[in-house]
Amino acid sequence: MNSGDSKESKVEARGHFERYNRYGYYFLLPFFIIFLIFSLYPILYTIYLSFTDLAGWNTQSNFVGLKNYKSILQNQLFLKSIKNTVILWILNFIPQMGVALLLAAWFTNMKLKLRGTQFFKVVFYLPNVITAASVAVLFSALFSYPMGPINMLLIKLGVIDSAYNFFQNNWATVFIVAFIQFWMWYGQTMIVLQSGILSISESLFESARVDGATDGQIFRHITIPLLKPILLYTLVTSLIGGLQVFDIPFLLTKGGPNNSVLTITMYIYQQAFSGNRNFYLAATASVILLLISIVLSVLMFSVFKDRTKVGRAK
Amino acid sequence: MAHALRTKRTLIYVFCGILTLLSILPFWILLCNATRSVEQIRQGLSLIPSDSLVHNWHVLMNQGFNVWQGMGNSFFIAACSTILSVYFSAMGAYAFTAYNFKGKKILFGMMIGLIMIPPQISMIGFYQFMMRLNLLNNYIPLILPAIAAPNTVFFLVEYMETVYQPDYADAARLEGASEITIFHKIMLPIMKPGLATMGIFAFVASWNNFLMPLILINDQAKYTLPMLVQLLTANIYRTEFGAMYLGIGLTVIPLIIIYLLLSRYIIGGVTAGGLKE
């Protein structure tokens, strides 16, 4: 970010006030001390625990080498939790991106002269601010059986004859969780994409329009290509966010029915904080989650470089 | 052509209208049902509030749903972590913007890398570590880590680059001001709008945090609001619907009010930061 500092400012700093530069370290000290204690050490400790057999309320543990990794990669429940997490993410991300892109394109289209876009933005973002725990319990009540509002509404409209127990059906539960995630995040994605589109020079759109391009053509040939860095950025942040999903499925059905919405983070939580308190398995699952996140972060970092280049170029 | 445009516009309004209903209706049903009796809720859906609010309130309170205590606890944690996060992030952002020191690029790169590492990853080690330090059932592990908030530092660095002028600091130095005084008296005030935005996000994130308090706090008197919500999934509420809706409502209403008051800053913050919390 600071590589853009001009030559002059560097020379200037090197001159009169250079001796103040060590304050850069002092001012960063609190950040890095707290980071070392509360983030880095716990991460390293988690990695260490993944090579031990720590469980229950024990404080002592034995080194077991790669045993935990061998067993977790054959653990059906863990593999299922990865699969569930990916399915939930895909089912939420595709409609989220689609709707967000459409809205962002419409709201920035000068020709359409839409009114109330500020109002819509505020309303669409609203679910994102509300406590996920509350949202989960609210939806479990709305979809509850047999007296939930959704059931009563569907019966009244004649869609179904008798109340349907949504949370007894694997796919119904998966779709409800994916829908809630979509509902909480599409407004956020829309705002990010919209600010991306607004950073594209309006003259590009105008000259395309003068050349007789339709809205669809402009969208496909100008908006989407120039938005690529931000689209990738959204994809990766959403994917990493998707790996962390916990609150909604945990409070909606505790992962059921048949563990159909048991996510990776829920697996870690369950192993460590219920039943036998298998910290060793939870730690191993955490390390695998860490590896996935690192791969995605590296990807993110390269995407990010592109993004700043785009920002500079405009 | 003009006709096609009008049709398109109408369709867009209809689409946005549906999404608006989707955003508002769940909360509206929630608020209405919080004021309706169990009988009324059993009879069918209604979008008009009723008169059983007081009854539902009593049921909820008899179940030990101590909403004021929960709010107090959540507020205490969120306020402390917001202040720490904003203050120390501003300090870090100032260090990155104003000073040229060895390893600055590496440290900054490291920090960006950290943004994407979710806290869940260190959850197990964090819990074990806190257990050894005897900090379970304590708010310290929920508050202190806020000092190291990479995404807040990152946002504020971007913000600083638009408002920072080396001359301000240099002039103050010539008058003998110390570096920390310059930070307090000059830099914090010019960062205020950025700090407010990040403060709102930090507060909401801490207020809504569920997983960390869930693993660290056992004592019911120390429960945060999202943890209290968990109690509403208990069996008693399978019959006392009204009380359950009221319980959820009590956790949702303050957020909706604050959001409506601060929406401009929040939307502005999302636009500028583009970061998922």
Side-chain angles (χ1 to χ4, degrees), chain B residues 193 196-197 200-201 261-270:
Chain B
T197 307
I200 296 169
F201 281 100
L261 290 176
L262 300 176
S263 63
R264 204 190 324 160
Y265 301 96
I266 295 177
I267 302 288
V270 180

Side-chain angles (χ1 to χ4, degrees), chain A residues 129-180:
Chain A
V129 198
I130 307 301
T131 317
S134 303
V135 168
V137 179
L138 170 59
F139 274 83
S140 87
L142 293 179
F143 281 95
S144 65
Y145 173 85
M147 295 291 191
I150 304 279
N151 261 318
M152 291 199 279
L153 188 71
L154 290 177
I155 292 172
K156 212 177 200 176
L157 293 174
V159 181
I160 47 177
D161 297 331
S162 56
Y164 184 74
N165 197 341
F166 294 96
F167 298 123
Q168 288 288 314
N169 181 298
N170 296 0
W171 280 103
T173 309
V174 168
F175 277 108
I176 289 171
V177 174
F179 170 77
I180 298 174

Side-chain angles (χ1 to χ4, degrees), chain A residues 1-3 5 10 12-13 17 20-21 23-25 27-28 30-32 34-35 37-39 41-43 45-46 49 54 57 59 96 99 103 106-107 111-115 118-127 129-131 133-134 137-139 141-142 147 149 152-153 156 179 183 185-186 188-189 191-192 195 215 233 237-238 240 244 246-247 250-251 265 268-269 272-273 277 279 282-283 286 289-290 293-294 297 300-301 304 307, chain B residues 5 8-9 12-13 15-16 19-20 22-24 26-27 29-30 33 41-45 88 91-92 94-97 99-102 104-105 107-108 110-112 114 116-132 144-145 147-150 153-154 158 161 170 173 179-180 183 201 204 207-208 210-211 214-215 226 229-230 232-233 241 244-245 248 251-252 255-256 259 263 266-267 270-271 273-276:
Chain A
M1 278 279 83
N2 288 281
S3 57
D5 278 359
K10 262 184 195 148
E12 198 181 308
F17 295 109
Y20 291 111
N21 280 334
Y23 279 90
Y25 297 117
F27 285 173
L28 282 172
F31 178 98
F32 280 99
I34 294 295
F35 165 71
I37 298 173
F38 288 102
S39 291
Y41 178 70
I43 290 175
Y45 196 40
T46 306
L49 290 176
L54 184 73
W57 294 94
T59 49
Q96 180 189 324
V99 169
L103 291 171
W106 288 336
F107 286 5
K111 219 173 70 189
L112 285 169
K113 290 198 198 78
L114 291 175
R115 285 173 194 207
Q118 194 57 35
F119 166 81
F120 287 130
K121 267 204 253 183
V122 170
V123 172
F124 297 166
Y125 187 75
L126 170 74
V129 198
I130 307 301
T131 317
S134 303
V137 179
L138 170 59
F139 274 83
L142 293 179
M147 295 291 191
M152 291 199 279
L153 188 71
K156 212 177 200 176
F179 170 77
W183 181 73
W185 287 102
Y186 78 90
Q188 208 261 6
T189 306
I191 296 171
V192 172
S195 72
D215 281 354
Y233 165 83
T237 45
S238 161
I240 291 177
Q244 304 169 47
F246 177 82
D247 301 8
F250 181 78
L251 284 171
T265 307
I268 295 172
Y269 174 83
F273 301 104
R277 289 168 65 95
F279 283 103
S286 303
L289 184 57
L290 173 68
S293 299
I294 287 178
S297 297
M300 165 72 218
F301 194 60
F304 181 78
R307 187 198 178 201
Chain B
L5 197 64
K8 190 176 176 189
R9 206 180 294 150
I12 291 173
Y13 282 130
F15 186 68
C16 289
L19 288 178
T20 304
L22 215 54
S23 275
I24 294 174
F27 297 118
I29 294 174
L30 167 71
N33 279 353
I41 295 173
R42 276 174 184 279
Q43 269 160 21
L45 191 61
F88 286 102
M91 200 177 238
Y94 177 53
F96 279 126
T97 318
Y99 299 105
N100 286 303
F101 47 89
K102 231 191 209 167
K104 173 162 135 175
K105 269 192 169 172
L107 288 179
F108 193 72
M110 250 175 76
M111 212 194 54
I112 291 183
L114 294 178
M116 286 297 129
I117 303 295
Q120 274 90 323
I121 273 157
S122 59
M123 182 167 97
I124 301 303
F126 189 76
Y127 173 84
Q128 287 285 336
F129 182 38
M130 292 306 127
M131 196 165 84
R132 268 154 216 243
L144 266 192
I147 290 175
V153 178
F154 176 70
E158 286 208 321
E161 280 179 348
D170 290 349
R173 277 171 198 145
E179 295 302 297
I180 190 81
F183 171 66
F201 281 100
V204 171
W207 181 273
N208 288 343
F210 174 61
L211 182 55
L214 181 67
I215 65 171
V229 168
Q230 196 191 189
L232 297 171
T233 57
F241 306 119
M244 181 202 59
Y245 283 110
I248 309 170
T251 67
V252 167
L255 276 170
I256 294 185
Y259 174 66
S263 63
I266 295 177
I267 302 288
V270 180
T271 308
L275 281 174
K276 298 214 165 178

